[in-house]
Each structure stands twice: as C-alpha cells, then as structure tokens.
Amino acid sequence: RALVTGAGGFAGGHLMSYLEEITNWRLYGNAHMVPEVPHNTERAEWVTTDLTDRGQAAALVDRARPAYVFHLAAQSNVPLAFKDPEGTIMNNVVGQLNLLDALRESSPDARVLVVGSSEQYGLVRPEDVPIGEDTPIRPNNPYAVSKIAQDALALQYFLTYGQKIIRVRPFNHLGPGQNEHFVAAAFAQQIARIEAGKQEPIIYVGNLEAERDFTDVRDMARAYHLAITKGEPGDVYNIGSGRGYTIQWLLDTLLSMSHVAVEVKQDPARMRPSDIPTNVCDNTRFTMRTGWEPRVPLEETLRDVLEYWRKRET
C-alpha cells in the first residue's frame, strides 16, 4: 500500500502513473480535490485531505495504512511564495508535521520519501557548482525556506523517532501537464496561443541568462520510486541530470518547433526579486546508490510540452 500526497499535481500525477505501471501496490492519491481526469482510476483510491488539519491527516494515514509514503504535497510556486510567505510555510511545513506525526502513531514502519527542492541551496557561488548535498544553503525566497524546514523536520523525525525517512532534493523537472507558472510551460503555452491566433506574435519572457538543471518529469517519477525503495533512511540525495541549460536554450528550442514567427520581449513582471545565475546538481550520491540516470532527451520533453499546450489551446 502506497500513499502519494500531492497526487493531483504535476509530478504527483506522473508518479501515480508510473507506480500504476511498475508495481502491484494499492495506491492512495491525496489531493485538495480529485483531478478532473484522475490518473490510475483502475487501481488508485483518491482522498481529498487538507494536511494542515491534524485530524484530516490522521484519518488519511489510518485509511491508507501505507508501507510507502511519497510526500510531494506543497505550495511550490516561487512568485506565489513571495506574495504569500505565511501561507506557503503553513502549507508546506505544518502539513508535513501533521503527516509525520500521523505516521508515527499508526504506520511507524512506513518508508517515507520527503521531497525537497534545489531551491534550498539558494544563492550558490560559482565555486559551489555542481551543487552537492553538502553545499551551504543560502535561501533567497520563502519557498526555499519552507523546503529547508521540511528537510530539517524530516531529519529530526528520523533521528528522534527512527522513522524510515529518505530526503531528496530534485532539481528542475518539466513535462506535459505542468502549469504555465513554470518556465517551459509558460513559453509553450504562449507559442501554442500564437499558433492558434489567440495571442499576438510576441512571447514575453523573464531572465533568459539563468542556467538550470532540467530533467523530464517521467525520469523524476522513476527516481522517486528508486529513492524510496533503495535509498538509505536518514540520507539526502540530489536528483537531476547533472547538466546545465540556459533558459535562452529552452526558449530557442521551443521556438524552433513552431511554424510561426515570434518576437521575444522581456517582461519585468516575470523577473524574480532574487535570482541565481547557475543551478546544476552533482547527482553522484544518488546514481551510485540507485543506478538511476535520465533517459528522456530534453528535446523530446519540450516537444511533448508544446504538443500538450497545442491540444489545450485548439
């Protein structure tokens, strides 16, 4: 029996699909609301739960009685975190606290994957790249602070109560189904709208010079399964491709797949108050432990993202 929190979200939905495909586990998907087109309707049971409510979190764990818990539920949008830092920290930290306490009471032997973020490292210096798990943290947004707190809380529960908690810090992942608040989806949606005649042939962008480590979400789902089954409780693992791509490359690649001419304009509203130039991971610890490596070429990922938005906008 496996519980996936945040199962209605982008990564959670892909993880549910992957678990349905490769395991015989009884799956429980937790979300604020059941998706309109839920993944894995054949075997998964969907539960709407607010994890910030202690009683609801306990009821969810009692119902699922999981052997595995993938904790993905979080407010993960950085611009929104700047607008609502209190809500972001409440959702991410208190929600996890309630979940871990519920597991400690009724499923103490469950293996738990706590999903952090590369945002935890914050303002990395050039000499810190590629970023290892021991790189100093210098958070530069409220979302990063919330994920650091989640990470520390998970470690504390492992050390204090012996819960079998594995922590991961995934770097950027993308793919079909991601919403337009994230960079590749934002570009693809605009291109699709231009192709459909719904938007003038201008695409609005933020900082194109930033370099990021991108992984296909389907590779990330496979990584989460390997992490929870092969990871060492108490340990933390970076997950990413180990390669850097500029946002400019991302945009140019998507534009090369379009059949219309598009003008590019910078939009100050799309610039973060604090940004870092390079964010690329050292994935050695994770690959040595699990044998994982990314399989889906990023060009294929971007083509799938664009096709997803073309279908949405036609």
Side-chain angles (χ1 to χ4, degrees):
R1 301 164 74 95
L3 169 63
V4 178
T5 72
F10 167 58
H14 282 280
L15 176 60
M16 292 284 282
S17 292
Y18 183 72
L19 295 177
E20 169 92 355
E21 178 185 345
I22 67 142
T23 75
N24 61 358
W25 298 347
R26 174 100 179 248
L27 300 177
Y28 290 82
N30 163 243
H32 276 301
M33 61 183 67
V34 177
E36 291 180 9
V37 184
H39 294 257
N40 319 305
T41 52
E42 292 183 4
R43 205 169 77 223
E45 183 173 333
W46 287 86
V47 187
T48 56
T49 303
D50 179 1
L51 292 176
T52 63
D53 183 298
R54 198 169 186 82
Q56 289 189 43
L60 171 66
V61 171
D62 285 343
R63 181 172 177 176
R65 293 183 288 111
Y68 299 96
V69 179
F70 298 82
H71 181 46
L72 279 70
Q75 192 302 98
S76 59
N77 183 262
V78 173
L80 180 57
F82 275 110
K83 293 177 182 177
D84 183 18
E86 180 182 2
T88 297
I89 291 171
M90 178 75 178
N91 184 84
N92 296 0
V93 181
V94 175
Q96 180 178 302
L97 175 68
N98 290 341
L99 176 66
L100 293 182
D101 274 342
L103 290 166
R104 184 163 60 90
E105 291 296 324
S106 63
S107 296
D109 293 326
R111 289 179 70 90
V112 183
L113 185 72
V114 169
V115 178
S117 170
S118 62
E119 289 282 347
Q120 294 173 226
Y121 296 109
L123 293 170
V124 296
R125 301 169 301 194
E127 59 267 31
D128 293 329
V129 181
I131 301 164
E133 289 85 355
D134 297 324
T135 299
I137 56 173
R138 301 180 187 88
N140 62 337
N141 63 69
Y143 169 68
V145 172
S146 76
K147 299 309 281 186
I148 291 167
Q150 285 188 241
D151 192 307
L153 188 66
L155 179 60
Q156 184 250 306
Y157 272 57
F158 164 76
L159 294 173
T160 305
Y161 305 114
Q163 287 180 265
K164 299 171 184 175
I165 302 173
I166 299 106
R167 295 164 290 141
V168 292
R169 297 170 186 162
F171 282 60
N172 298 66
H173 40 287
L174 45 80
Q178 191 171 32
N179 72 46
E180 66 276 15
H181 296 299
F182 295 87
V183 62
F187 293 160
Q189 183 198 37
Q190 291 186 75
I191 292 169
R193 289 183 61 82
I194 292 167
E195 290 178 344
K198 295 181 177 180
Q199 178 177 320
E200 60 182 340
I202 300 173
I203 188 167
Y204 294 93
V205 303
N207 177 16
L208 297 178
E209 297 178 359
E211 185 179 12
R212 297 290 181 265
D213 188 322
F214 290 103
T215 300
D216 188 287
V217 67
R218 293 158 289 196
D219 280 329
M220 195 61 72
R222 182 166 51 87
Y224 290 166
H225 175 257
L226 287 169
I228 206 170
T229 54
K230 294 189 174 184
E232 179 67 27
D235 274 359
V236 61
Y237 304 95
N238 284 344
I239 306 178
S241 69
R243 292 186 57 190
Y245 301 86
T246 64
I247 306 302
Q248 181 74 63
W249 180 89
L250 216 66
L251 175 60
D252 290 344
T253 302
L254 283 165
L255 288 174
S256 74
M257 298 173 183
S258 176
H259 54 261
V260 297
V262 178
E263 181 183 356
V264 176
K265 285 188 176 181
Q266 197 165 72
D267 177 7
R270 296 172 186 264
M271 305 292 284
R272 288 190 185 181
S274 179
D275 208 351
I276 59 172
T278 303
N279 190 291
V280 178
C281 93
D282 178 351
N283 61 15
T284 304
R285 182 184 295 182
F286 186 65
T287 57
M288 291 290 289
R289 180 76 189 187
T290 66
W292 177 89
E293 60 181 23
R295 295 174 181 170
V296 183
L298 196 53
E299 293 84 354
E300 180 180 333
T301 306
L302 293 174
R303 191 174 299 279
D304 290 346
V305 171
L306 185 54
E307 286 302 319
Y308 169 82
W309 281 104
R310 280 171 171 158
K311 290 176 182 175
R312 289 283 301 269
E313 295 297 338
T314 54

